[in-house]
Amino acid sequence: MEGNTAWLLTSAALVLLMVPGLAFFYGGMVRSKSVLNMLMMSFGSLGVVGVLWVVFGYSATFGDDVGAGLLGDPFEALGLSGLMGAETLSNTGFAAFQAMFAILTVALISGAVADRVRFGTWLLFAGLWATIVYFPVAHWVFAFDATDDVTGETTKSGGWIANDLGALDFAGGTAVHINAGAAALALVLVIGKRVGWPKEPMKPHNLPFVMLGAGLLWFGWFGFNAGSALAANNIAGVAFINTLTATSAALLGWLLIERIRDGHATSLGAASGVVAGLVAITPACAFVDTWGALAIGAIAGILCALAVSLKYRFGFDDSLDVVGVHLVGGLVGTLLIGFFGTVGVNEGSKDGLFYGGGLELLGTQAIGAFSVLGYSFVVTAIIGLLIKVTLGFRLPKDEEVVGIDEAEHAETAYEFGGGRGGRAATTGSGVAGTAKKLEGSKA
């Protein structure tokens, strides 16, 4: 028990590291005038969702179902009541682990609306979205029925996708990635395009940041996936090695598409392929064998690389490709369990089409995936529209052009030479001093 708890707490810390990892990944992809705001959107999500989770979010997600498998009782463990004793350490560790999932899911959405959203309204959106969308959906997917070991009677009811539908999602392909990706699509449609997009070039300002962020995400994702076994056991090992396998294949798949389409492989493509593979293997990591992981990773790398161009075809400004990577990657990983799932690696899995299971599992996976997609898209659009018509979501156009870092945070990421906050130049130095010396020499 102590070893399992230690692994769970370690995994929770690894998932927390993914938040600054995501911040650097996103921060490097925006222009230099927006990088601080991009970092702050991730850290702001950590603050807002971290508070809501311990107050009522954990209870709304994992409390006893209040009806039809849609929501847990938000008052059952209000303020984590009943979880703070020494004898409930494993429960407290589980609450900490799942808190990181909630925080990261909200932060993922921020990349879609980079450069143009007021920071205060983003924090409001983060709180509302976590409460109305993430906590219910996580209950659907992650809250399993609890039964008495002796009598077999159900002592606590969970969510409908996990228990009634029986869809497989080991670590969050639906609750995290499809959920965030659908929300991202709805939000960009509500908020609109950046000033100058798509005519104005908006290239990443710091590709080393992007690569660093991708590396931190990959490192933390081992806790995300393998930690979801909730024990230091063979299932955790399967999830760990499949996470490595699929991500490696996705990286190569993305670079192959770049090489064929553009004539060269890029560092941005490598980092994006890493994230696409991590997303796709998340729901499947403990339900497929090595060959399944390789196939899922390669397919995700290829399809996500192609999908990121859809925003230009359909005209929606998904700034950092949250839709192309997380929505598409989440769908790929969730649906491909219907083909590659096998009980040969995990008795809790089911056999997919390629392992003699027919099409039943694929149908189950599709129902779960598109139910989450539809709910998240519709409710996010409603939340976004309400904020837009009441408080206003976007920066004024002139502030967006100058830069969101200056407008929202009164800071800039980089200071080259003298700038705001420095002393005024004296007459004997700098530009002013040089000018006076030149005037004196002419005289």
Side-chain angles (χ1 to χ4, degrees), residues 89-112:
L89 177 60
S90 60
N91 292 334
T92 311
F94 179 72
F97 180 65
Q98 286 292 334
M100 309 310 173
F101 280 62
I103 293 164
L104 186 71
T105 305
V106 174
L108 288 174
I109 302 169
S110 66

Side-chain angles (χ1 to χ4, degrees), residues 315-366:
F316 60 92
D317 184 12
D318 173 17
S319 302
L320 307 183
D321 300 318
V322 180
V323 176
V325 174
H326 292 275
L327 179 57
V328 174
L331 286 170
V332 167
T334 301
L335 296 178
L336 287 183
I337 295 174
F339 293 92
F340 296 105
T342 172
V343 297
V345 298
N346 181 355
E347 292 181 357
S349 182
K350 301 175 184 178
D351 285 331
L353 179 64
F354 295 158
Y355 290 80
L359 292 172
E360 181 179 358
L361 179 57
L362 178 60
T364 298
Q365 295 300 109

Side-chain angles (χ1 to χ4, degrees), residues 16-40:
L16 178 60
L17 183 65
M18 293 170 66
V19 178
L22 181 72
F24 275 103
F25 181 73
Y26 280 169
M29 291 173 69
V30 297
R31 292 166 290 178
S32 59
K33 64 182 182 179
S34 306
V35 57
L36 291 180
N37 178 256
M38 201 70 259
L39 299 174
M40 284 290 286

Side-chain angles (χ1 to χ4, degrees), residues 30-31 33-34 36-42 45 106 109-126 183-184 186-195 317-319 383-384 387-388 391-397 399-401 403-409:
V30 297
R31 292 166 290 178
K33 64 182 182 179
S34 306
L36 291 180
N37 178 256
M38 201 70 259
L39 299 174
M40 284 290 286
M41 291 177 85
S42 287
S45 302
V106 174
I109 302 169
S110 66
V113 293
D115 295 338
R116 58 200 188 273
V117 172
R118 293 180 180 274
F119 185 64
T121 50
W122 164 254
L123 295 183
L124 174 62
F125 170 82
L187 204 57
V188 298
L189 293 176
V190 168
I191 293 174
K193 306 171 185 178
R194 287 168 290 179
V195 175
D317 184 12
D318 173 17
S319 302
I383 296 171
I387 294 176
K388 180 179 179 179
L391 301 176
F393 228 132
R394 291 192 65 149
L395 288 176
K397 182 177 180 179
E399 293 184 358
E400 183 180 333
V401 171
I404 195 169
D405 287 355
E406 286 273 9
E408 288 293 290
H409 308 292

Side-chain angles (χ1 to χ4, degrees), residues 14 20 49 170 184 212 230 259 274 287-288 315 332 349 354 372 374 415:
L14 287 170
V49 183
F170 191 72
L212 172 64
L230 307 182
R259 187 68 178 83
V274 165
F287 300 134
V288 300
V332 167
S349 182
F354 295 158
V372 171
E415 293 289 351

Side-chain angles (χ1 to χ4, degrees), residues 24-25 28-29 203-215 218 250-252 254-256 258-259 261-276 321:
F24 275 103
F25 181 73
M29 291 173 69
K203 295 181 179 180
H205 89 285
N206 193 324
L207 288 170
F209 269 19
V210 178
M211 298 291 281
L212 172 64
W218 198 344
L251 188 159
L252 297 177
W254 192 298
L255 294 182
L256 176 63
E258 282 195 328
R259 187 68 178 83
R261 182 183 59 197
D262 307 322
H264 46 261
T266 68
S267 59
L268 180 60
S272 300
V274 165
V275 177
D321 300 318

